[in-house]
Amino acid sequence: MSAELISILVLVVVFVIATTRSINMGALAFAAAYGVGELVADFDADKIFAGFPGDLFVVLVGVTYLFAIARANGTTDWLVHASIRLVRGRVVLIPWVMFVLTGALTAIGAVSPAAVAIVAPIALSFAARYQISPLLMGAMVVHGAQGGGFSPISIYGTIVNGIVEREKLPGNEITLFLASLVVNLVIAGVVFVLFGGLKLRNDESVTETVSVSASSSMSSSASSSASSAVSSAGSASSSAGAGAEAKSAHEGRGADLEKDREEDLEQDREKDREKGRSAEAEDDTTRLNPARTATLAALVALVVAVLAFDLDAGLTSITLAVLLSTCWPADSRNAVTQIAWPTVLLICGVLTYVGVLDEMGTIDWAGEGVSDIGVPLLSAVLLCYIGALVSAFASSVGIMGALIPLAVPFLAQGEIGAVGMVAALAVSATVVDVSPFSTNGALVLAAAPGVDRERFFRQLMMYGGIVVAVVPAVVWLALVVPGWG
């Protein structure tokens, strides 16, 4: 049995154990990387650790640290209210606002994980507050980022178009961009319908409905009290000529009614006080104080640093978080404990093992085996599936850089359109970034507040599996089979 096959079988075993035994998959993957690296590939520790995603570790820690501070000082709550005001209370539009926002960021040059790192914590905080499915909101953010990710001036677009030019393949920048945009837009629409987006359509009237209902309830209570008073007065008048015993009984009943009315009034006053306190708390979340203003400035600085100056998102976010912690230590006292450490362990462990597979040549081995099949269309769909499957755990850019050259031999035969094939590979390798093992999926998982993370992880993994199973075949049929380019 070849070393490459053994490494793939070990990866399968890691998945099975993690799923059935509730053990952190990252810890298992670290053990697997050590075992396969030492015993099968004869790697030393330095070569095994070469696959450790240090940059992703810093991004996950830094971004979740910064947004933990933002949640602690109420900045995310303020942003949620600002989003509501932006769409005039129509909660149904918020997922699409997040889709467009992340798409715009990647289209103008943001790396996809950086755009998701900026938008996901805000979007998922909103989802938690308004009972929107976190899977729906997270998918809208990721698909939005990928939808804009292949514009001619974007990072992904520039890389893929550069590879195409270097390999002397025919290319079309606009086709590549539109293919990714349309596929992700369609997927976002399907997710929006399936995960409760249409049920949000009446949420714009929630506030007004509550107010009207409360007013109606108070009016009904007042009418009821007035009717009781009138009835009591009528009873008193009709019994004015009765004997002393009837009069005494009537006075007793009147006293009981008066006591009941006083209790009702006291309950109404207590409700009013509670509403006042609630309104005061609500008003507090809509106000900007110095800590929130500084946090907003830090978020803007993060965007500018990443987009305009090409600075590292992880290091920048950690630096900004430390500055905020120094100025307002009370707000950020527990922020470090809110960093998603289990998620960090999971992602870093799995990607370290994928790094070992890459060093062993397992990924190239699988790709070359597919290219040697001899049936171009079959080779094309298998390459799309390999790109999707591997990219669900590893760098999308790295996979595209490896698979597009692997496709050159049968593209040179002229039986497969190069433009359609490159677009299909690019979409297949990036649309699966909703997987919790990818950078974008990991950021969504880490950013979701108030959720059962194990359950959310399983949801993202299942959704990512469906995307891996369905999308490569669809884009192959739409882009490769017709022979585009």
Side-chain angles (χ1 to χ4, degrees):
M1 187 180 295
S2 67
E4 293 84 359
L5 183 57
I6 291 173
S7 65
I8 291 175
L9 292 176
V10 169
L11 180 61
V12 173
V13 172
V14 167
F15 272 106
V16 172
I17 295 177
T19 304
T20 58
R21 294 290 183 178
S22 296
I23 301 174
N24 188 290
M25 192 178 294
L28 287 170
F30 272 122
Y34 178 62
V36 172
E38 287 279 357
L39 301 178
V40 178
D42 197 26
F43 289 169
D44 57 17
D46 289 340
K47 207 162 189 179
I48 294 172
F49 279 123
F52 181 83
D55 53 347
L56 177 56
F57 172 85
V58 176
V59 168
L60 287 173
V61 172
V63 170
T64 56
Y65 185 23
L66 178 59
F67 279 93
I69 294 174
R71 281 196 294 269
N73 64 24
T75 302
T76 53
D77 290 333
W78 183 89
L79 287 170
V80 165
H81 284 280
S83 298
I84 296 173
R85 291 193 297 271
L86 180 66
V87 297
R88 300 181 184 277
R90 291 186 288 272
V91 179
V92 67
L93 296 180
I94 292 296
W96 292 106
V97 169
M98 302 304 170
F99 179 94
V100 172
L101 180 58
T102 49
L105 288 174
T106 54
I108 62 176
V111 179
S112 180
V116 173
I118 292 165
V119 177
I122 299 169
L124 288 159
S125 294
F126 183 92
R129 175 174 288 247
Y130 288 93
Q131 288 78 51
I132 300 174
S133 166
L135 181 58
L136 164 62
M137 192 67 87
M140 295 295 281
V141 170
V142 175
H143 287 303
Q146 305 303 65
F150 286 93
S151 77
I153 62 172
S154 68
I155 301 298
Y156 283 177
T158 302
I159 291 172
V160 172
N161 291 321
I163 294 173
V164 168
E165 184 178 355
R166 188 173 63 249
E167 297 293 338
K168 296 180 173 57
L169 295 172
N172 189 310
E173 296 179 348
I174 301 301
T175 298
L176 176 63
F177 172 47
L178 291 179
S180 178
L181 177 61
V182 171
V183 169
N184 282 281
L185 186 61
V186 170
I187 294 174
V190 172
V191 170
F192 183 78
V193 172
L194 293 181
F195 292 97
L198 295 178
K199 296 178 182 178
L200 303 174
R201 65 176 66 182
N202 292 324
D203 281 4
E204 59 180 325
S205 59
V206 167
T207 303
E208 291 78 8
T209 301
V210 171
S211 300
V212 170
S213 298
S215 300
S216 300
S217 177
M218 291 173 66
S219 298
S220 299
S221 178
S223 299
S224 177
S225 299
S227 298
S228 299
V230 170
S231 298
S232 300
S235 298
S237 299
S238 64
S239 60
E245 182 177 349
K247 182 178 180 181
S248 175
H250 171 72
E251 290 175 351
R253 287 194 298 273
D256 291 339
L257 289 172
E258 184 65 27
K259 183 178 179 181
D260 290 340
R261 281 195 296 272
E262 289 179 357
E263 290 178 352
D264 290 341
L265 289 173
E266 180 60 30
Q267 290 177 359
D268 289 341
R269 284 193 290 268
E270 180 61 29
K271 289 179 181 178
D272 289 339
R273 285 193 291 269
E274 289 178 0
K275 288 178 182 177
R277 287 192 293 268
S278 177
E280 184 179 351
E282 185 76 9
D283 186 55
D284 183 61
T285 62
T286 62
R287 292 176 180 172
L288 280 177
N289 56 29
R292 291 173 187 170
T293 302
T295 304
L296 287 173
L299 295 177
V300 173
L302 176 60
V303 174
V304 173
V306 172
L307 297 185
F309 298 100
D310 197 28
L311 298 180
D312 183 81
L315 293 173
T316 303
S317 57
I318 283 183
T319 302
L320 293 170
V322 169
L323 291 174
L324 291 173
S325 299
T326 302
C327 297
W328 291 277
D331 289 336
S332 55
R333 184 173 294 113
N334 297 320
V336 172
T337 62
Q338 294 177 27
I339 294 173
W341 294 114
T343 302
V344 173
L345 173 61
L346 187 152
I347 302 304
C348 290
V350 169
L351 293 188
T352 298
Y353 186 72
V354 171
V356 170
L357 297 185
D358 192 28
E359 285 289 331
M360 291 176 62
T362 301
I363 295 174
D364 292 338
W365 172 78
E368 289 169 0
V370 171
S371 297
D372 292 339
I373 290 176
V375 181
L377 279 176
L378 181 57
S379 297
V381 71
L382 288 178
L383 280 175
C384 287
Y385 271 107
I386 289 175
L389 185 61
V390 177
S391 183
F393 305 94
S395 167
S396 299
V397 174
I399 296 305
M400 288 186 290
L403 288 182
I404 293 175
L406 287 177
V408 171
F410 65 87
L411 287 177
Q413 299 173 11
E415 297 183 36
I416 299 293
V419 173
M421 184 64 207
V422 169
L425 280 174
V427 172
S428 297
T430 55
V431 75
V432 297
D433 279 357
V434 290
S435 159
F437 304 109
S438 69
T439 306
N440 288 341
L443 288 168
V444 167
L445 180 62
V451 300
D452 182 340
R453 292 199 183 276
E454 288 191 9
R455 182 171 178 270
F456 190 32
F457 168 78
R458 289 193 296 271
Q459 289 177 336
L460 285 171
M461 186 166 64
M462 185 177 300
Y463 175 64
I466 293 172
V467 172
V468 169
V470 174
V471 173
V474 172
V475 297
W476 174 75
L477 286 171
L479 300 173
V480 179
V481 173
W484 297 104

